[in-house]
Amino acid sequence: MVNIGQYNRLTVVKRVDFGVYLDGGNGVEILLPEKYVESSVNIGDEVDVFIYTDSEDRLIATTERPYAKVGEFAFLQVSQVNEIGAFLDWGISGKDLLVPFSEQKSRMLRGGIYPVYVYLDVATKRVAASTKIDKFLGNKIPRYKRGDNVRALVLRHEDPGYRVIVDNLFKGIIYDSDVYEAIEVGETIDAHVRQVRPDGKIDLSPGPDAASRVKVLAEKIYYLADAANGTMPLSDSSTPEEIKSVLQCSKKDFKKAVGFLMKNGLVSQADGRLTLTGTWSEKIAK
């Protein structure tokens, strides 16, 4: 059986004037409209498609990519509101995503952009969305370790930091004190785990884990210095503010990156400056 609201790899079983039919299992055939069919596709070929239901509850395939699939959170814009509920621009031509009134935390307005969870209604087999996102979070026990890399959707900012959704499963927070580059509400960023609290919420820092972060920063320092005739007006004696203004990082990470560069014979530091003494290579990056 196909997974509605997900990507599926299905076999072409029939060609018609208006598209091709795909094998949905158990004798079910699913239309992939002609505008999504590549000219090279033949009967027996496998194609990657997204499956949803149309207004008549028929299964339809598309090669378009929705903004979010079942089981994911996203910020989506309301395209219209009627007596049934609010309809969201889902990224699929001719198919908006319904948020029933019963799944609206507060009444949604046309043109508004809201964080929603995309789910499959078991009774109707229709994909729908909900703004009552808290009930879809924290229903599993987080098994992360310190330093694990995750993806985080930024929900909002409120003291003491940014509230995020971690890997479409858990609540998390990125503290303002760990933010060195701008973070926008609605974007999904790479982050790493600092700790998992007893209540299941997760403290994060933006960017990759410490080891990866240091190498990325070291490379950035090297090439900035290289572009400035082999020198940079920063060193271990620079203030945190000076380092942040140039590199958007903490002094702690800066010192680790400089240590990495010095260990590999790439820089020296004196008189408040870094000076290149070697050549960066892919071998060093690894």
Side-chain angles (χ1 to χ4, degrees):
M1 288 295 293
V2 298
N3 294 311
I4 302 173
Q6 303 284 353
Y7 297 102
N8 296 255
R9 189 170 183 81
L10 303 179
T11 302
V12 178
V13 294
K14 185 190 301 181
R15 176 173 274 280
V16 292
D17 291 341
F18 46 86
V20 298
Y21 279 96
L22 309 175
D23 182 8
N26 295 332
V28 176
E29 294 182 349
I30 303 171
L31 175 66
L32 176 64
E34 180 64 27
K35 65 180 178 179
Y36 302 123
V37 181
E38 295 184 2
S39 58
S40 60
V41 169
N42 297 303
I43 293 175
D45 289 349
E46 292 185 332
V47 293
D48 293 311
V49 292
F50 183 82
I51 302 296
Y52 65 97
T53 55
D54 66 10
S55 58
E56 298 180 16
D57 292 337
R58 296 173 298 191
L59 293 175
I60 300 293
T62 180
T63 56
E64 291 185 299
R65 300 183 69 85
Y67 298 133
K69 61 182 188 290
V70 166
E72 293 183 341
F73 296 85
F75 278 76
L76 301 180
Q77 185 169 30
V78 177
S79 56
Q80 64 171 312
V81 177
N82 62 21
E83 67 279 0
I84 300 174
F87 289 83
L88 308 174
D89 177 4
W90 196 18
I92 296 178
S93 301
K95 178 63 178 180
D96 287 343
L97 188 62
L98 172 65
V99 184
F101 286 121
S102 61
E103 290 296 332
Q104 296 181 26
K105 191 173 181 179
S106 59
R107 283 293 184 261
M108 303 172 76
L109 302 176
R110 182 176 180 178
I113 300 175
Y114 301 85
V116 299
Y117 178 78
V118 181
Y119 68 95
L120 179 66
D121 186 294
V122 177
T124 64
K125 301 299 182 183
R126 295 176 180 174
V127 181
S130 174
T131 62
K132 298 179 178 180
I133 60 179
D134 283 350
K135 69 179 182 179
F136 300 102
L137 291 169
N139 298 319
K140 296 182 179 180
I141 299 173
R143 302 294 186 184
Y144 298 110
K145 305 184 301 295
R146 181 179 177 86
D148 283 351
N149 294 320
V150 299
R151 295 283 284 167
L153 172 64
V154 182
L155 280 181
R156 62 186 181 275
H157 181 271
E158 59 184 30
D159 288 338
Y162 291 88
R163 306 292 173 170
V164 301
I165 295 174
V166 183
D167 287 343
N168 286 297
L169 289 170
F170 308 107
K171 296 179 181 179
I173 184 170
I174 297 174
Y175 292 98
D176 288 332
S177 57
D178 287 330
V179 176
Y180 293 94
E181 294 182 337
I183 292 178
E184 299 292 335
V185 171
E187 73 173 325
T188 299
I189 65 171
D190 292 316
H192 66 277
V193 175
R194 293 180 58 189
Q195 69 169 341
V196 177
R197 289 189 264 162
D199 62 1
K201 294 179 181 177
I202 302 167
D203 291 346
L204 304 173
S205 287
D209 65 284
S212 300
R213 190 169 68 249
V214 165
K215 288 187 178 181
V216 170
L217 179 57
E219 185 173 10
K220 180 179 181 179
I221 292 169
Y222 177 88
Y223 282 107
L224 283 175
D226 187 51
N229 297 316
T231 186
M232 175 181 284
L234 292 176
S235 72
D236 284 354
S237 61
S238 299
T239 67
E241 292 73 25
E242 290 171 332
I243 293 168
K244 181 179 179 180
S245 68
V246 176
L247 298 170
Q248 295 78 49
C249 72
S250 66
K251 183 169 182 176
K252 181 179 179 180
D253 279 354
F254 172 77
K255 292 179 71 173
K256 287 182 179 179
V258 171
F260 175 85
L261 292 167
M262 294 181 69
K263 180 180 178 181
N264 285 280
L266 297 177
V267 301
S268 63
Q269 57 176 326
D271 301 324
R273 304 185 70 85
L274 296 176
T275 302
L276 297 188
T277 57
T279 302
W280 184 274
S281 70
E282 290 303 314
K283 183 178 180 180
I284 292 173
K286 295 178 180 178

